[in-house]
Amino acid sequence: MADFKYQAYDSEGNSRKGHIEAIDKLTATKRLNEQGLKPAKLEPVSTQIGGLFGEKRLTLDDIEFLTAELSLLLRSGVKIDRGLEIVKRSKSNLALKALLDDVCQKVKQGTMLSTSLAAYPEYFDPLYINLVKMGEETGTLPDIFASLAEDLKFKKDLKRKALQALVYPMVILSVCVVCIVFVFNFIVPQLSSLFDNVKDLPSYTRILLGTSDFFINYQFFLLALIIASAFAIRTFLNKSEGKQKFDRFFLHTPVISTFVVVMERIRFNSSMAMMLNAGLSLDKAILLALDSVKNSVVKLELLTVQKQIREGGRLTEKLSQSVIYPDFYVSLLEVAEESGDMSIAFDEVASRSKVEFESWTTKITNLLEPILILFMGGIVGSVVVVMLLSIVSINDFG
């Protein structure tokens, strides 16, 4: 079904504007005629949101803040269509305003909110849509939006901490690369003129000068090779087989594996806690929580767990087979399984894993900082030492 935006006139000549869903333009016109409307303007609406320079994507911050605002308005007794109008008027972000305008129009025409949001899968995942749908069916939409807002805030905070763990090492590494490029492009060539008339250079001097010459002559080729390799890797990752191989590689790589495992544990358990609190059955909650898991290998493990539970398997026994659940967390879930309140246990696992992640990122950042600085200093220092030794050797020859 396509979405069409129309401007039409009724039998009394009054102008009417809105959206209508139809297979094609002809069907949309026919449906408008059946409603007693004569369309003057009818055009398809793209589900993509245009920005100043083409498509503009909304961020996690935008979706989290939108969800929190809707939660507040709905809890205050405001109807959903009115709430969407209020939020839309308060937004300066044109992309978000366009999305809200589209959703608001559909809701006013009688379309379910969950169905309207489902038209934007790039912003609202199946977990979000299913919970909104459940809220509509059970009349608990304010509570659902409150839970979603809290979960999105949690994910936003997690993403921020993950980026913080990566940004500093990347900055140091970038500075290191810039220093190397500068040294081999400018410093070494300037000093190489000192050795023009020297026939018998030390081996370390020849290696340094040769490296500099190679770098100057082939640096753009190396840059093109790096870009091509990055493009090839990205293309490979877009294939399910390629992504699965990389995901498996990450799970077996020291340091990186810890990062991946803890992140996936937080994502999965926070989603499970939220959905069980919303009243979903265990097997359905697992199935929807899989959408929050990024690593395909972990997702496949948990999908197997979900199938085994549907066949009558015990949750903790099956979860213990997954790489994201060490014995300690399995024991927490076992206690909860006996008591019958799994949502608290999943929330506890997510909270403890978040603390574990913060501790791990702090340790890694503190460890990488001196290593990268020593690496950068070692390269630059080695060049300086070699050049000084080379100059001394010239004086010795002289």
Side-chain angles (χ1 to χ4, degrees):
M1 296 285 282
D3 183 29
F4 292 88
K5 185 176 182 179
Y6 69 85
Q7 180 180 357
Y9 295 92
D10 59 20
S11 57
E12 297 178 357
N14 297 318
S15 177
R16 300 277 293 275
K17 294 181 179 180
H19 289 251
I20 189 168
E21 290 185 345
I23 297 174
D24 52 31
K25 193 171 183 179
L26 184 63
T27 307
T29 303
K30 185 178 179 181
R31 288 184 60 187
L32 287 171
N33 290 334
E34 290 172 353
Q35 297 174 23
L37 298 174
K38 186 176 181 180
K41 187 177 181 182
L42 183 65
E43 55 187 22
V45 177
S46 172
T47 57
Q48 293 183 343
I49 299 172
L52 183 61
F53 300 100
E55 184 186 356
K56 182 178 179 180
R57 294 185 62 83
L58 300 179
T59 64
L60 182 61
D61 287 351
D62 295 324
I63 302 302
E64 184 268 328
F65 197 64
L66 166 64
T67 306
E69 286 180 305
L70 287 175
S71 168
L72 182 63
L73 288 168
L74 291 174
R75 285 189 163 188
S76 301
V78 178
K79 298 293 184 183
I80 185 61
D81 55 343
R82 176 66 177 159
L84 289 167
E85 285 282 2
I86 293 171
V87 174
K88 183 181 72 174
R89 286 202 303 268
S90 67
K91 297 300 176 188
S92 58
N93 186 322
L94 295 179
L96 184 55
K97 186 171 284 190
L99 184 148
L100 288 170
D101 181 60
D102 181 47
V103 171
C104 189
Q105 289 285 349
K106 290 178 179 177
V107 169
K108 285 181 177 179
Q109 291 172 6
T111 306
M112 297 283 283
L113 176 62
S114 55
T115 305
S116 303
L117 295 176
Y120 299 92
E122 64 271 35
Y123 306 125
F124 305 101
D125 58 24
L127 186 150
Y128 194 107
I129 299 301
N130 277 277
L131 284 175
V132 171
K133 185 177 181 180
M134 175 178 286
E136 289 175 311
E137 293 172 350
T138 59
T140 57
L141 205 53
D143 295 332
I144 291 294
F145 270 109
S147 298
L148 283 169
E150 186 177 346
D151 182 64
L152 288 171
K153 186 177 180 181
F154 181 84
K155 289 177 179 177
K156 184 177 71 172
D157 189 44
L158 182 66
K159 183 179 179 181
R160 178 178 58 81
K161 291 184 183 300
L163 287 174
Q164 283 178 346
L166 296 173
V167 165
Y168 187 75
M170 291 304 296
V171 169
I172 297 294
L173 189 60
S174 299
V175 171
C176 181
V177 171
V178 170
C179 287
I180 292 171
V181 170
F182 180 76
V183 166
F184 283 113
N185 271 280
F186 300 101
I187 304 299
V188 175
Q190 287 289 331
L191 295 175
S192 64
S193 59
L194 297 173
F195 311 112
D196 288 343
N197 298 321
V198 180
K199 296 181 179 179
D200 191 14
L201 288 172
S203 58
Y204 49 78
T205 306
R206 291 198 302 271
I207 292 172
L208 179 64
L209 295 178
T211 303
S212 177
D213 289 339
F214 176 83
F215 197 87
I216 291 171
N217 293 328
Y218 297 101
Q219 58 185 339
F220 293 109
F221 173 77
L222 292 172
L223 180 62
L225 184 63
I226 292 171
I227 294 173
S229 300
F231 179 77
I233 291 172
R234 184 176 179 180
T235 304
F236 184 65
L237 286 175
N238 286 334
K239 300 177 181 178
S240 58
E241 182 185 353
K243 187 177 187 306
Q244 196 168 36
K245 286 182 178 179
F246 263 84
D247 287 344
R248 186 171 285 107
F249 170 75
F250 290 147
L251 284 175
H252 292 88
T253 304
V255 181
I256 296 177
S257 61
T258 304
F259 178 86
V260 173
V261 166
V262 177
M263 282 284 286
E264 298 297 11
R265 189 190 306 137
I266 294 171
R267 288 176 180 141
F268 180 73
N269 284 274
S270 61
S271 298
M272 284 294 296
M274 182 175 60
M275 284 183 290
L276 290 176
N277 276 325
L280 269 73
S281 62
L282 191 60
D283 62 324
K284 189 173 182 180
I286 294 174
L287 193 61
L288 290 175
L290 288 175
D291 289 312
S292 63
V293 176
K294 307 300 181 186
N295 187 283
S296 59
V297 177
V298 174
K299 184 177 286 190
L300 191 60
E301 287 180 351
L302 294 172
L303 182 60
T304 303
V305 169
Q306 190 265 347
K307 290 178 180 177
Q308 291 172 338
I309 289 173
R310 288 188 66 181
E311 294 170 357
R314 193 178 177 194
L315 175 65
T316 50
E317 180 185 341
K318 303 306 177 184
L319 284 178
S320 63
Q321 300 170 11
S322 173
V323 68
I324 67 171
Y325 282 103
D327 293 339
F328 173 72
Y329 292 112
V330 172
S331 64
L332 278 178
L333 293 174
E334 279 179 339
V335 173
E337 195 171 22
E338 293 294 334
S339 65
D341 194 349
M342 295 297 297
S343 61
I344 295 177
F346 280 115
D347 188 54
E348 180 68 16
V349 172
S351 299
R352 286 177 177 269
S353 297
K354 186 180 179 184
V355 173
E356 181 185 344
F357 179 76
E358 290 173 352
S359 174
W360 179 85
T361 52
T362 302
K363 289 178 182 177
I364 291 298
T365 303
N366 292 339
L367 181 64
L368 282 176
E369 180 181 349
I371 290 175
L372 290 173
I373 290 175
L374 285 172
F375 176 71
M376 180 176 65
I379 292 177
V380 176
S382 298
V383 172
V384 172
V385 169
V386 169
M387 294 305 296
L388 289 174
L389 289 174
S390 301
I391 293 171
V392 170
S393 67
I394 293 175
N395 293 331
D396 290 341
F397 291 143

